Amino acid sequence: MIVNETLKVIKQRRSIRNFKDEQIKDEQLQAILEAGMYAPNAGKQPWHFTAVQNKDMLVRLNQAAKETAKGIEHLKEKAYDEEYDCLYGAPTLIIVSGNEQVPVPLEADCAAATQNMLLAAESLGLGSCWIYFVILAFDSPQGDQLRKELKIPDGYKPYYSAIIGYKQDETIHIPDRKPNMVTYIK
């Protein structure tokens, strides 16, 4: 089996939902954002990244998302749980928005950028988790105001997000992969 640093990072990355109460360094954030900018795309680079490190804004996004989730059957339990934080106390949130005028697989391009950022975070020793729940904030009554405050450009829709921070625990269990998930036709 071939092994190199990139393959090691891919295999060891796990979704982290328990973070230290410490902000990541600016250099780390810049490296992660740059990794997102180098994601594969259809040549249009149709994304915009919003890095949120303001605690008050993170709380507002969580509350707005929970308000929207109250109307979604499978999310109601979390929505009504006052203790639930869809950002898991992470100090940094990156929202990936896509230019809706681009006539290509926009969501795939934004997903590739998100994955690049998750892998970059792992390579820097940081924890990360792909979070959809917080995107519900933009469907809340405060959604338009939040877009303005977060300076999301007109014509861009928030598709994905990632939380990033220092891992509370360094030991993470990596489960075995399911067998028989590949078919070879040679």
Side-chain angles (χ1 to χ4, degrees), residues 13 113-123 128-130 162-163:
R13 198 212 73 77
T114 305
Q115 177 68 4
N116 267 22
M117 289 189 279
L118 295 172
L119 292 172
E122 179 65 32
S123 76
S128 65
C129 188
W130 192 312
I163 53 175

Side-chain angles (χ1 to χ4, degrees), residues 5-158:
E5 284 304 307
T6 302
L7 296 173
K8 258 176 62 178
V9 167
I10 290 169
K11 289 178 181 179
Q12 74 188 29
R13 198 212 73 77
R14 304 265 70 66
S15 293
I16 303 300
R17 294 178 180 88
N18 197 3
F19 299 91
K20 293 180 181 177
D21 188 24
E22 178 184 348
Q23 189 54 264
I24 66 172
K25 294 178 177 73
D26 287 344
E27 305 82 48
Q28 292 169 316
L29 177 59
Q30 292 308 314
I32 291 166
L33 292 167
E34 186 174 21
M37 291 179 207
Y38 279 88
N41 64 88
K44 302 292 184 189
Q45 300 177 38
W47 44 65
H48 177 84
F49 307 136
T50 304
V52 183
Q53 296 182 313
N54 178 288
K55 286 184 181 186
D56 291 336
M57 179 56 77
L58 294 172
V59 168
R60 288 179 57 206
L61 286 165
N62 179 57
Q63 291 303 320
K66 287 171 70 171
E67 192 62 37
T68 299
K70 289 178 180 177
I72 302 171
E73 191 59 39
H74 69 280
L75 297 177
K76 280 185 179 181
E77 186 176 334
K78 289 180 179 180
Y80 285 100
D81 180 351
E82 290 189 27
E83 299 298 314
Y84 179 69
D85 174 9
C86 71
L87 304 174
Y88 300 95
T92 298
L93 167 70
I94 299 173
I95 299 166
V96 180
S97 302
N99 182 342
E100 295 186 283
Q101 304 306 309
V102 175
V104 293
L106 177 60
E107 289 186 51
D109 290 350
C110 290
T114 305
Q115 177 68 4
N116 267 22
M117 289 189 279
L118 295 172
L119 292 172
E122 179 65 32
S123 76
L124 297 172
L126 299 169
S128 65
C129 188
W130 192 312
I131 301 290
Y132 176 75
F133 195 106
V134 74
I135 297 301
L136 297 173
F138 300 103
D139 294 328
S140 75
Q142 303 88 7
D144 288 339
Q145 182 61 34
L146 289 168
R147 284 176 204 257
K148 286 179 189 169
E149 289 181 49
L150 293 168
K151 300 177 183 166
I152 296 172
D154 289 339
Y156 282 74
K157 176 182 176 182

